Amino acid sequence: MTPKILIIGACGQIGSELTHKLRSIHGKDNVIASDISYNNLDIVNSGTFEILDAQDYTSVKICIDKHQINTVYLMAAMLSATGEKYPLKAWDLNMDSLFHVLNLAKEGFIKKLFWPSSIAVFGPTTPKENTPQYTIMEPSTVYGITKQVGERWCEYYHNQYGVDVRSIRYPGIISWKTLPGGGTTDYAVEIYHKAIADNKYECFLSEETELPMMFMDDAIKATLDIMDAKPEAIKIRSSYNLSAVSFTPKDMTQSIQKHLPDFTISYKPDFRQKIADSWPKSIDDSNAREDWSWKHSFSLDDITNEMLTNLKKKEVETN
Ligand code: SER
């Protein structure tokens, strides 16, 4: 099957880099980007782009028909911190969009579907260290609830209707091209921007808050790897634990200080601290490593190096 791909939520942090990567692999005519608005001109101007409301079933179906799409990446979602401000909106966006694509796959209009889950499926009663694939899951955020319920529906649609849906539980994703929006792990991107701009950062999480994190290149690789795997290799049809590195704001500070010795950090935890405290510190992703040979590449110091180098370059180019 030659993939004819639709990315929903292509202007976001992960969607934008996934769009570029998929276009470089399959050619820009085979990868249609879509989002609710033109808020990432780089994506809008780099190939076919459609304005698409992921909550509107008819529009999604028309777009799929028009471009003869067979593969969909549903990257639109409201993340954990924003979701706590607009709980019902988060529920509606995250669930409506998933049901639309699951139903289109059930009807045969989509052959293969990627839908991201998150470490937010875990909650305060989950074991925090090396969190297993199968464990207690009592998420306390609306975002986490939508992801946990979504996982159940993905597995159900696979078992009942044979839908080829594949999913991973992303940790916090760190990247320099497109900013994240509305997540609890966003501090781990902001810190690099502020390090370059001001040589200091006020962190909204406390210094010892340890969370699972990953560099964007690893996240994109995992996404492509699971989508390229043979269907029989994908033994988990809810969502796979996925892990790379775990660290605290204090660890990040030390890593940044290797490049910028005068960089300082202060701490002013806000409502996001409670969310972070409910999530695992580290993740056991041995199923992903065994089933489809997942392997990460970037350590914290590698990430710091990439972030500072590329953000500095970007700053020079824009000045
Ligand atoms: N990065 C997400 C968030 O912080 C977690 O998946 O909400």
Side-chain angles (χ1 to χ4, degrees):
M1 178 177 85
T2 307
K4 199 82 197 327
I5 297 169
L6 173 66
I7 299 161
I8 302 175
C11 291
Q13 188 199 12
I14 305 176
S16 57
E17 298 213 23
L18 191 58
T19 302
H20 285 309
K21 187 73 187 177
L22 288 169
R23 281 184 171 157
S24 75
I25 296 169
H26 301 290
K28 71 181 169 67
D29 294 339
N30 290 319
V31 181
I32 312 302
S34 74
D35 211 305
I36 188 85
S37 64
Y38 297 104
N39 62 8
N40 187 330
L41 289 181
D42 194 26
I43 291 295
V44 172
N45 296 328
S46 69
T48 307
F49 181 85
E50 296 275 3
I51 288 289
L52 187 61
D53 177 357
Q55 287 180 258
D56 181 348
Y57 176 87
T58 308
S59 302
V60 177
K61 183 164 186 307
I62 288 171
C63 186
I64 283 170
D65 285 343
K66 178 176 161 192
H67 296 285
Q68 296 181 317
I69 298 297
N70 52 34
T71 304
V72 171
Y73 293 75
L74 172 56
M75 309 309 287
M78 193 184 289
L79 297 187
S80 60
T82 311
E84 292 311 284
K85 292 187 183 150
Y86 310 103
L88 292 181
K89 264 195 192 165
W91 173 261
D92 287 345
L93 169 61
N94 296 359
M95 298 315 299
D96 290 352
S97 57
L98 175 60
F99 271 117
H100 294 341
V101 290
L102 282 175
N103 284 324
L104 287 163
K106 177 187 166 192
E107 302 301 328
F109 298 109
I110 298 169
K111 303 290 179 220
K112 212 194 239 187
L113 175 60
F114 179 81
W115 174 79
S117 186
S118 158
I119 52 166
V121 292
F122 301 116
T125 52
T126 303
K128 287 208 178 305
E129 307 274 355
N130 219 17
T131 301
Q133 174 72 39
Y134 301 105
T135 185
I136 301 167
M137 293 162 82
E138 296 184 314
S140 53
T141 61
V142 174
Y143 174 64
I145 295 169
T146 64
K147 291 297 179 187
Q148 188 198 28
V149 173
E151 287 189 7
R152 297 289 90 230
W153 278 111
C154 286
E155 189 183 83
Y156 187 85
Y157 269 65
H158 175 76
N159 289 341
Q160 298 298 321
Y161 312 121
V163 166
D164 189 357
V165 55
R166 302 165 184 219
S167 177
I168 48 192
R169 293 172 179 154
Y170 287 131
I173 306 295
I174 302 175
S175 64
W176 54 271
K177 284 185 194 150
T178 307
L179 282 170
T184 302
T185 56
D186 293 7
Y187 95 85
V189 177
E190 281 174 20
I191 192 170
Y192 292 112
H193 285 263
K194 293 285 182 188
I196 286 178
D198 305 331
N199 219 11
K200 62 175 191 227
Y201 177 57
E202 185 179 87
C203 187
F204 58 77
L205 298 181
S206 68
E207 67 176 334
E208 299 295 352
T209 309
E210 184 176 353
L211 287 170
M213 299 277 182
M214 181 175 288
F215 191 51
M216 179 63 86
D217 295 32
D218 276 337
I220 297 293
K221 180 178 178 294
T223 309
L224 299 183
D225 284 355
I226 193 172
M227 286 299 271
D228 284 346
K230 292 205 170 75
E232 54 277 16
I234 310 298
K235 301 198 177 93
I236 295 173
R237 292 295 184 153
S238 51
S239 191
Y240 277 91
N241 273 9
L242 189 77
S243 161
V245 281
S246 282
F247 49 75
T248 64
K250 194 176 169 186
D251 298 329
M252 293 196 88
T253 304
Q254 285 163 356
S255 179
I256 291 171
Q257 282 168 342
K258 289 179 192 166
H259 300 256
L260 302 167
D262 298 331
F263 173 70
T264 56
I265 187 162
S266 56
Y267 299 95
K268 198 175 172 197
D270 65 14
F271 73 102
R272 289 169 280 194
Q273 183 67 47
K274 199 169 152 213
I275 301 176
D277 287 341
S278 77
W279 289 351
K281 291 178 193 291
S282 57
I283 299 283
D284 174 358
D285 62 353
S286 40
N287 289 85
R289 289 177 193 260
E290 272 158 36
D291 290 359
W292 41 276
S293 310
W294 158 243
K295 201 167 165 289
H296 75 277
S297 300
F298 290 83
S299 68
L300 171 56
D301 282 342
D302 295 334
I303 296 173
T304 298
N305 200 16
E306 290 286 328
M307 290 298 287
L308 294 179
T309 309
N310 285 299
L311 288 175
K312 267 188 214 152
K313 238 191 250 164
K314 219 172 155 184
E315 202 187 28
V316 171
E317 279 163 17
T318 42
N319 283 340

